[in-house]
Amino acid sequence: MTKLTLASYPHMLGFEQLERLLERAAKSGNDGYPPFNIEQTSDHSYRITLAVAGFAEGDLSITVEDRQLVIRGRQNDDSDARVFLHRGIAARQFQRTFVLADGVEVGEAIMENGLLHVDLTQARPETVVQTIKIKKG
């Protein structure tokens, strides 16, 4: 089976970076934890909500690295000082990665009832019309 790439389409010029972003998103290694929602809150804004019950604000970090939104969680595991008869809630670290398109900006992050909300906005692109003069050669 031949791998189809954007380079296979000669009329698609300058999309190599998009192809690299798609490959990076496919390899991001997200394992399904924690679960999350993505909702569109207006024509140009979005909200990512992660279920982070048991995590405090200090256990979480949010960064933007090379057009990727990276949300990490790491709980302090104090299980050595405690005796569990049953342990169904694990102190588990995670990393969730979301690839951001050009023009998408990360707004505020809000922690509410065990949910972490991260708001995103997308700038409206300007319509540019450019006329190219043809010179005689």
Side-chain angles (χ1 to χ4, degrees), residues 9-28:
Y9 298 94
H11 56 281
M12 304 280 287
L13 302 174
F15 285 93
E16 295 81 13
Q17 182 180 4
L18 176 61
E19 189 167 16
R20 285 192 299 272
L21 280 173
L22 291 171
E23 287 176 4
R24 189 168 41 184
K27 295 177 185 176
S28 65

Side-chain angles (χ1 to χ4, degrees), residues 36-100:
F36 66 94
N37 292 336
I38 301 175
E39 60 183 298
Q40 186 169 2
T41 54
S42 76
D43 287 343
H44 298 282
S45 63
Y46 309 91
R47 174 174 269 189
I48 298 172
T49 301
L50 283 86
V52 291
F55 287 86
E57 288 91 349
D59 297 334
L60 301 169
S61 70
I62 303 170
T63 57
V64 176
E65 305 168 9
D66 192 26
R67 301 307 307 160
Q68 291 187 99
L69 171 64
V70 181
I71 303 171
R72 294 181 178 96
R74 182 180 195 90
Q75 292 177 307
N76 292 327
D77 188 8
D78 61 352
S79 61
D80 294 340
R82 299 161 65 184
V83 176
F84 291 95
L85 299 179
H86 171 76
R87 184 155 189 182
I89 303 171
R92 178 177 174 188
Q93 68 182 12
F94 71 87
Q95 176 174 311
R96 272 275 178 207
T97 304
F98 301 90
V99 178
L100 303 176

Side-chain angles (χ1 to χ4, degrees), residues 110-125:
I110 302 165
M111 187 84 150
E112 175 182 50
N113 299 325
L115 299 173
L116 176 65
H117 305 288
V118 181
D119 292 326
L120 308 169
T121 57
Q122 185 170 26
R124 295 180 186 204

